[in-house]
Amino acid sequence: QVQLGESGGGSVQAGGSLRLSCAASGYTATRYYMGWFRQALGKQREGVALIDDDGGTSYADSVKGRFTISKDNAKNTLYLQMISLKPEDTAMYYCAGGYVRDSWYSADYPHWGQGTQVTVSS
């Protein structure tokens, strides 16, 4: 049974930084793709950053240059380093895992964490 668990959210002022972590366990597939999604109040969930099994990364235009996704395979942990945070980054952040490479569609990810809240004040 795959389990994902996020941590590291919090409240920061605009321009601040946070690092989110997602501990993963229970998956056995050699090709397992992960990403970060977020959902602001009243809005649809959107993809933020993806990482391939070979370390290739993709970012939403709104976070390029500010967010960095990475993965520590030895620790089975996914990270999202966020700098220069803006109020519009305020959302619940989720890590997701699945078997479709480079997908921005939530439906392609069968495994989700419980989410961690990020709040950025102006």
Side-chain angles (χ1 to χ4, degrees):
Q1 180 180 357
V2 177
Q3 291 187 320
L4 304 177
E6 304 93 338
S7 60
S11 297
V12 297
Q13 290 191 328
S17 302
L18 284 172
R19 188 176 82 154
L20 307 183
S21 300
C22 174
S25 64
Y27 64 92
T28 57
T30 54
R31 298 191 183 277
Y32 189 73
Y33 304 100
M34 300 188 73
W36 288 97
F37 288 72
R38 67 185 181 186
Q39 187 167 17
L41 202 61
K43 295 187 177 181
Q44 287 191 330
R45 190 171 296 188
E46 62 176 359
V48 175
L50 309 175
I51 189 165
D52 288 341
D53 54 345
D54 60 0
T57 58
S58 304
Y59 296 93
D61 288 343
S62 59
V63 306
K64 279 181 183 176
R66 300 188 299 119
F67 290 11
T68 303
I69 187 172
S70 62
K71 186 170 59 171
D72 186 331
N73 290 323
K75 295 182 179 180
N76 287 333
T77 301
L78 182 72
Y79 300 100
L80 186 68
Q81 179 67 51
M82 306 183 294
I83 66 171
S84 301
L85 283 160
K86 304 176 181 180
E88 51 264 43
D89 295 318
T90 294
M92 185 72 79
Y93 283 70
Y94 300 89
C95 70
Y99 308 101
V100 179
R101 185 185 182 99
D102 290 339
S103 175
W104 291 102
Y105 294 103
S106 300
D108 285 336
Y109 294 87
H111 308 130
W112 292 84
Q114 80 285 355
T116 186
Q117 179 69 36
V118 171
T119 302
V120 185
S121 58
S122 56

